[in-house]
Amino acid sequence: MGDRVKLSGSKLTQLFNTLIAEKVILSMYIVGTEFDRLTYIAGLEEAEDGRYLLIDLPEDFTEAGRNDEPRQFQFNFNGPDRLEYIFGTVGGHFVGNRLRIPFPKYVERLQRRLNFRINTQPGTQMHFNLKKLHGVLELINISLGGAYGVLAKHNFKFLRGPILKKEQLIFDSSIVFPGSCEAPGDTVYVHKAEVIRVEHDAERDAYRFALKFCAMEKEEKQRLTQAIYDLQRRYLRFRK
């Protein structure tokens, strides 16, 4: 079957109706720019000249997206089957806080599972220990497959260079999600994680780390899944 399958016709319409009904989160990228944000499909519109999708515009949608020249948009998302889907369109125009884009001819389904990244709330931390070292990452985003964050503090007084190295393994770390008045926070335990990328912000003299989750208990995986769903719902609530 190959690693890509194209969906069109009635299957495509059914897929978009599901995305609209369930308010599935999409990643929206303007080709040729650095604009890459989360959004969702607000509706499907039938017109005499064809069908259109109504995309909710992120609040920080910049002039890069309102250029007079036709823009090329690319979207990707997790489908109901937890596989990755991608599609692109060119052009479109603005209707209030919506982007009205042409209905795509097809959507490609990739035969691989996608761990969708979503930005975390301020105060989301990952605590880890390495022998006598205790460190805390302030997480920037997270997915079912890993996390990305900046080193916030550690207990070594004299340390030069990054506290973690690429391919280093971290065992028995914990991710602490902040609570609110509506619901208490939660803690997710990761049995094994691996550092897959190290970045240095010279201006702020700070190190950022990308980690891959290698081993988690089933219950912890379910708790992380729920936490990510909660983040998505919070995102949608503030976007309405």
Side-chain angles (χ1 to χ4, degrees):
M1 181 180 293
D3 61 350
R4 290 180 179 231
V5 174
K6 291 185 178 180
L7 301 180
S8 59
S10 60
K11 290 184 178 180
L12 186 56
T13 301
Q14 182 179 359
L15 174 63
F16 280 122
N17 283 333
T18 299
L19 300 185
I20 294 168
E22 299 183 3
K23 282 191 166 60
V24 172
I25 301 291
L26 293 81
S27 175
M28 172 183 176
Y29 169 61
I30 302 178
V31 178
T33 75
E34 297 182 354
F35 188 86
D36 187 355
R37 299 291 188 274
L38 298 179
T39 185
Y40 65 95
I41 303 176
L44 192 161
E45 185 177 295
E46 301 279 352
E48 293 182 0
D49 58 346
R51 293 189 293 175
Y52 295 87
L53 295 176
L54 297 176
I55 307 297
D56 189 73
L57 289 178
E59 291 181 357
D60 59 348
F61 194 81
T62 64
E63 290 302 317
R66 294 183 178 269
N67 195 294
D68 292 335
E69 299 178 2
R71 286 296 191 184
Q72 181 179 350
F73 297 93
Q74 183 173 305
F75 300 86
N76 74 287
F77 59 92
N78 259 10
D81 51 8
R82 296 291 302 154
L83 294 178
E84 181 180 4
Y85 289 72
I86 59 174
F87 70 94
T89 62
V90 177
H93 65 276
F94 304 97
V95 180
N97 64 340
R98 308 283 194 234
L99 173 66
R100 187 175 183 257
I101 61 172
F103 196 85
K105 294 181 179 179
Y106 60 86
V107 170
E108 289 187 284
R109 181 180 67 207
L110 280 59
Q111 300 301 94
R112 70 176 186 225
R113 295 193 176 274
L114 169 72
N115 288 315
F116 196 91
R117 293 178 293 113
I118 189 165
N119 291 344
T120 56
Q121 291 181 258
T124 305
Q125 298 181 335
M126 183 172 184
H127 297 253
F128 62 92
N129 295 285
L130 291 171
K131 296 182 179 179
K132 296 182 179 180
L133 167 67
H134 173 68
V136 178
L137 297 179
E138 290 285 350
L139 294 188
I140 298 169
N141 59 53
I142 195 168
S143 74
L144 289 176
Y148 175 67
V150 61
L151 182 65
K153 53 186 174 181
H154 57 82
N155 63 336
F156 276 17
K157 293 184 178 179
F158 305 102
L159 179 69
R160 294 182 179 179
I163 199 169
L164 300 171
K165 298 180 180 180
K166 187 177 179 181
E167 298 183 354
Q168 187 166 11
L169 296 179
I170 299 173
F171 294 92
D172 300 323
S173 58
S174 60
I175 300 171
V176 181
F177 293 91
S180 66
C181 297
E182 300 174 358
D186 204 353
T187 300
V188 175
Y189 296 94
V190 180
H191 177 59
K192 182 170 72 172
E194 179 185 357
V195 180
I196 59 174
R197 192 170 73 253
V198 179
E199 300 172 350
H200 182 224
D201 185 338
E203 183 177 339
R204 300 181 181 179
D205 192 25
Y207 285 91
R208 297 187 182 91
F209 303 91
L211 298 100
K212 177 176 69 174
F213 301 148
C214 302
M216 295 178 66
E217 296 292 337
K218 182 179 178 180
E219 293 78 7
E220 301 303 321
K221 192 86 169 182
Q222 292 173 342
R223 191 173 286 114
L224 178 58
T225 299
Q226 184 60 51
I228 291 175
Y229 284 162
D230 290 343
L231 283 172
Q232 291 180 338
R233 283 197 293 268
R234 181 179 183 277
Y235 169 83
L236 288 173
R237 187 167 65 248
F238 282 96
R239 290 294 300 121
K240 291 179 180 179

